[in-house]
Amino acid sequence: MSEDRRRAVLHAIVEGYVSTSEPVGSKALASSRHLGVSPATIRNDMAILEEEGLIAQPHTSAGRIPTDAGYRSFVDHVAAQALQDPHKRAIRTFLSDAVDLNDVVERSVRLLSQLTRQVAVVQYPSLRESAVRRVELVRIGTDRALVVVVSADARVEQSTVALGMEPSDDEFETVARDLNEAAVGHTPAPLIESLARWVSRPGQVVWAAGVADAVVAAAKGGTVRRVVFAGTSNLARASTDFESDAIGPILDALEEQVVLLRLLHEMTGTGQDVAVRIGAETNTEALARTSIVAAGYGPTGESSSLLGALGPTRMDYPGTMAAVRAVARYLSRVVENE
C-alpha cells in the first residue's frame, strides 16, 4: 500500500507541476487531491521519493518538482488515455478535407501542434512502390547529371550522378530519350530488369549504369527524408521552462534533421506504438531540457515514417501521447489507401 500511495503522490506532483508550473507542497496535495492521508504522511512519502531521485526541491521551504526520473516513472505507469471525442472529430474533419498527400502531411503537422501545444514534426511517408511516370536527365556542368524521377503517385525524387566523362549533346539527349523508353510505366521489380537490358545494349555509354542505379533508387522511394515542422513558437510560450539561452540550440537541433530523424527512428524501433524520451534520454545536449513523444505510421504492418511532438519536460504526457497515437493511426489509414 505504501508503494502505491507514493506512486499516487508522485503522479499528483507531476500533474500539479505540469498544470501550474509551480512546485507542489504537501498541504496543497492533502487539500486538493483525494489521497486520503495527512500532510505529514505525504511529507514522509515525498522524502522517500526525493531520496529515490524522483522529485527535487528547487529551493528551501519550496514544494517539490519532478525530476526526469520522476517523469519517466509517471509515463511508465500512467494509464493509456483515449483522445477526447471532439479531438477525434477534429482530426477526421480537418484531415479528410486534404486534397493530396502534401496537403494531408501539412495539415497533420499543424493539427498535431494545435492538439499538443508543442512543436510537431511529421516525416513524409515512404509510399508503396509506384510506377515511373517520367524521367528527366539534366546536365550539370560538364561531367555530372541531375536525375529526376516523377512517380505515378506524384512523388518527385532527384539525385546527382557523376558521369566520369563529358558526353556530347547528341549523346546526352539520346541517353535521356532511351532512358525514358526503358523506365516509364515500370514499378521497381520490372524496372530493374528493363534498365539492366538497357545498360547492356551494345555500344551503350559507360555512364549509363550510374544513371540506371539512380532511377531505381528513386523509384523505390529515394533516400531523401523530408520533414516538416509546426508550432516552433510554442517554445517561446514555454520560455519559463528553459534557460534564457536554451531555445536557440533546440531550434538548431530541429533544423539538423539528421539528428532528429536518428532519434525518432531509435524511439519508434522499440516496438511501442508511442515512445517517449525524457530529458537526458535524448542523448542530445541541446534537447536535454525537452521531451519527445513519437510514433511510426505507414501501411498495415509497417511504420516506415515518423511523427512526433517535442516540448519541455513539463508537458502533458498522457494528452500528448494520445494525440500522437491518434494522428499516427489516421495517417496510416491515409497512406494505406494511397
Side-chain angles (χ1 to χ4, degrees):
M1 288 295 295
S2 59
E3 183 177 346
D4 291 340
R5 190 184 64 243
R6 284 196 295 273
R7 184 176 297 162
V9 170
L10 173 61
H11 285 203
I13 292 172
V14 171
E15 291 168 352
Y17 183 60
V18 167
S19 175
T20 67
S21 77
E22 296 292 335
V24 180
S26 57
K27 290 183 179 179
L29 288 178
S31 61
S32 64
R33 301 281 174 174
H34 302 293
L35 298 176
V37 292
S38 67
T41 300
I42 292 175
R43 282 194 295 272
N44 289 335
D45 288 336
M46 292 169 73
I48 295 173
L49 291 171
E50 191 168 1
E51 289 178 2
E52 294 175 346
L54 300 178
I55 60 175
Q57 189 174 30
H59 50 82
T60 305
S61 76
R64 305 301 194 275
I65 64 175
T67 63
D68 286 359
Y71 284 124
R72 168 52 61 193
S73 178
F74 173 80
V75 168
D76 288 346
H77 291 96
V78 70
Q81 176 175 308
L83 201 64
Q84 297 178 1
D85 288 340
H87 289 167
K88 291 180 181 178
R89 288 195 294 271
I91 293 174
R92 287 195 299 268
T93 302
F94 189 61
L95 298 188
S96 63
D97 289 338
V99 297
D100 57 23
L101 179 62
N102 287 335
D103 194 18
V104 77
V105 170
E106 295 288 346
R107 285 169 177 259
S108 296
V109 74
R110 294 201 308 271
L111 179 61
L112 184 58
S113 174
Q114 292 167 8
L115 291 174
T116 63
R117 298 187 297 278
Q118 312 292 355
V119 179
V121 52
V122 175
Q123 179 187 37
Y124 266 74
S126 178
L127 297 179
R128 291 170 293 183
E129 296 178 343
S130 180
V132 174
R133 178 183 296 170
R134 185 176 73 256
V135 179
E136 295 180 6
L137 201 59
V138 182
R139 186 190 292 271
I140 302 177
T142 59
D143 61 350
R144 297 168 67 210
L146 179 68
V147 179
V148 182
V149 178
V150 182
S151 299
D153 57 22
R155 283 184 297 115
V156 178
E157 303 284 354
Q158 62 184 38
S159 59
T160 302
V161 177
L163 306 180
M165 60 181 298
E166 182 179 354
S168 67
D169 290 342
D170 287 345
E171 182 181 64
F172 193 86
E173 292 174 4
T174 298
V175 169
R177 182 182 64 251
D178 293 347
L179 177 62
N180 265 276
E181 292 178 357
V184 171
H186 292 303
T187 52
L191 176 68
I192 293 172
E193 297 178 3
S194 179
L195 290 181
R197 290 193 297 269
W198 176 71
V199 168
S200 61
R201 288 179 182 175
Q204 183 62 277
V205 295
V206 295
W207 46 273
V211 172
D213 289 344
V215 173
V216 171
K220 288 182 174 180
T223 57
V224 176
R225 291 287 194 172
R226 184 182 171 195
V227 174
V228 290
F229 298 94
T232 53
S233 60
N234 288 324
L235 290 175
R237 285 192 280 272
S239 58
T240 55
D241 293 288
F242 300 111
E243 302 292 338
S244 58
D245 58 349
I247 293 181
I250 294 172
L251 293 173
D252 290 341
L254 291 176
E255 292 181 4
E256 189 65 37
Q257 294 187 7
V258 173
V259 174
L260 185 61
L261 283 173
R262 174 188 54 77
L263 177 57
L264 291 173
H265 274 289
E266 289 175 356
M267 292 173 65
T268 54
T270 61
Q272 300 170 292
D273 62 338
V274 176
V276 181
R277 288 281 180 90
I278 300 168
E281 294 175 354
T282 64
N283 294 318
T284 304
E285 184 176 356
L287 302 179
R289 297 282 295 174
T290 70
S291 291
I292 302 176
V293 179
Y297 73 93
T300 303
E302 302 176 21
S303 295
S304 56
S305 298
L306 311 160
L307 63 85
L310 177 147
T313 53
R314 188 184 66 85
M315 71 160 59
D316 172 15
Y317 289 97
T320 302
M321 293 166 70
V324 167
R325 181 185 293 109
V327 175
R329 287 176 177 172
Y330 189 92
L331 271 177
S332 293
R333 291 196 293 270
V334 171
V335 172
E336 181 72 32
N337 294 324
E338 283 291 335

